[in-house]
Amino acid sequence: MFDMTPDRAEALDGEARRILRLNDRGGYTVPTEGLYPYQWNWDSAFAALGFAAFDLDRAWTELETLMAGQWENGMLPHIQFHKADPGYFPGADVWGTEDAVGKGPGRVASSGISQPPVVASFALSTYRRDEAAGLERLRALFPRLMGLHRWFITHRAESGAVAITHPWEAGRDNAPDWDGAMAAFEPEGVAPYTRRDTGHVDPRMRPTKSDYDRYIWLVQFGRDRRWDDAAIAAESPFRVADPTMTFTLMRASRDMVEIARALGEPTQEIEGWIARLEAGAETLWNAGTACYDSRDLRSGQLTGCVSNASFLSWWGGLRKGQPIDTLRRVLAAASYTVPSFDPAHPKFESLRYWRGPVWGIMNMMISTGLKEAGLIDEADRIRRDTAGLISDKGFAEYFDPQDGTPAGGGTFTWTAAIWLGWASPNAKEL
Ligand code: DGY
């Protein structure tokens, strides 16, 4: 499939394994040294995909430490602050979740929001590598995974699609999808703060100050309500239904059906979630752009954004009303695919985080879904581009879709993980 010698592929496999070991802090993995010094939710789930390629026990441990940080109400925080690190802002003190509604006693310090729920998907793929060895570990995780999905359906899916309460929750921090909702409120009263991210990474590759003021304002807003989901849902100016969340939860719920079957557990409740999410996805379809979009639940408006999250519908398992023509247009417009934002749009910025750059994890999900749907040419192009970027430019956090410039953090856990679990010519299909 790739123009890559076995020696080169082997060398890259070795480098990816080295990166996962390098970022291992003993039971959990940081996304990268310095910029992200804690355990991030979906980064950690992707780390399990990578570890599973060479150390299954370690993959299970990653999933177990991740799920151990789950709140009593089922919410899985987007950051677990295992050990304080002054190099990151905002830390545990800013989140102030000690007495959060729904957290429960004895939990690790954490943020008060969640992230795309990919964990059940990688629990299933880890199990599939060795079902006999994994069965009891999967069984132990099952109630927690059920609790997580139930939490999303109860607290985030009022429109059927899954809503976010903070841009960080979608993982696509500064995507143009949120511009309208972010402009609709003024970040008045934000306590003075010093950003740390721009001390680690070129500011041109990061969100703007205007974004950051609002990120911190929304953290203060949640903290003032003790992270009470009902109060935030009722009062926050920011609530956007998002394709990343909707399609990852849809996929993970389909994977939960497989998990439940393997464990001899009932599937009816999970099937109800899938039906609800499928109906919700229809509310994200934008006939004008011919693809899935985000919807601002405060204004009721679609955002008009064609992003890489728009193309997660195949990963979610949808097979009708698909954005294939829009995907083909976007693939044709980029040297390296899939750009995180439409290159034809005036807001496209090739280096700025989620406003243009290519992300390997999104590519893995988009390409896998396309392949499952029989769209082999597009699936192969995305995998080839990802492998080429990593081989030529290294294991960066993200890449410029025009010239491949590596951007953001280096020696990045999830880039190494998707190499081992998917992009490498030696990756085992699961
Ligand atoms: C950051 O700090 O940039 C993170 O994306 C927040 O999750």
Side-chain angles (χ1 to χ4, degrees), residues 115-136:
Q115 249 183 348
V118 293
V119 56
S121 297
F122 298 127
L124 179 62
S125 63
T126 303
Y127 166 71
R128 281 197 175 133
R129 284 191 180 261
D130 184 338
E131 298 187 357
L135 188 66
E136 291 316 312

Side-chain angles (χ1 to χ4, degrees), residues 36 40 78-79 88-90 115 168 173 206 212 353:
Y36 301 120
W40 259 260
H78 100 296
I79 307 177
Y88 182 79
F89 176 85
Q115 249 183 348
W168 287 341
D173 301 13
R206 295 290 302 175
Y212 253 80
Y353 214 34

Side-chain angles (χ1 to χ4, degrees), residues 49 59 150 164 219 226 244 341 347 351 355 381 403:
L49 171 76
R150 222 173 259 136
I164 56 168
V219 171
R226 296 178 54 224
T244 336
F341 195 59
K347 286 189 172 178
L351 275 176
R355 300 177 84 88
R381 160 96 197 265
D403 63 10

Side-chain angles (χ1 to χ4, degrees), residues 61-201:
T61 303
E62 187 78 29
L63 296 167
E64 288 156 1
T65 57
L66 175 61
M67 293 310 296
Q70 183 173 35
W71 287 13
E72 202 165 75
N73 67 358
M75 199 277 280
L76 185 64
H78 100 296
I79 307 177
Q80 297 184 32
F81 299 102
H82 294 284
K83 273 184 268 174
D85 189 314
Y88 182 79
F89 176 85
D93 53 327
V94 182
W95 287 93
T97 59
E98 306 78 31
D99 68 343
V101 175
K103 186 172 187 183
R107 262 75 180 180
V108 64
S110 76
S111 69
I113 59 171
S114 197
Q115 249 183 348
V118 293
V119 56
S121 297
F122 298 127
L124 179 62
S125 63
T126 303
Y127 166 71
R128 281 197 175 133
R129 284 191 180 261
D130 184 338
E131 298 187 357
L135 188 66
E136 291 316 312
R137 295 178 91 165
L138 186 66
R139 195 186 305 283
L141 285 178
F142 181 71
R144 287 182 179 270
L145 296 172
M146 287 294 285
L148 173 63
H149 286 224
R150 222 173 259 136
W151 176 83
F152 268 109
I153 295 291
T154 307
H155 295 292
R156 293 289 198 269
E158 70 269 19
S159 73
V162 180
I164 56 168
T165 58
H166 192 296
W168 287 341
E169 212 160 35
R172 299 187 296 126
D173 301 13
N174 65 341
D177 304 49
W178 331 128
D179 287 0
M182 293 284 263
F185 67 95
E186 278 307 315
E188 275 161 18
V190 171
Y193 66 92
T194 305
R195 282 176 71 168
R196 301 287 177 204
D197 60 318
T198 44
H200 297 288
V201 168

Side-chain angles (χ1 to χ4, degrees), residues 1-5 384:
M1 170 183 185
F2 308 119
D3 185 16
M4 185 177 291
T5 64
R384 208 168 45 241

Side-chain angles (χ1 to χ4, degrees), residues 397-421:
E397 185 179 5
Y398 44 92
F399 304 89
D400 185 317
Q402 288 163 339
D403 63 10
T405 299
T411 55
F412 218 84
T413 290
W414 68 15
T415 310
I418 60 100
W419 174 267
L420 289 167

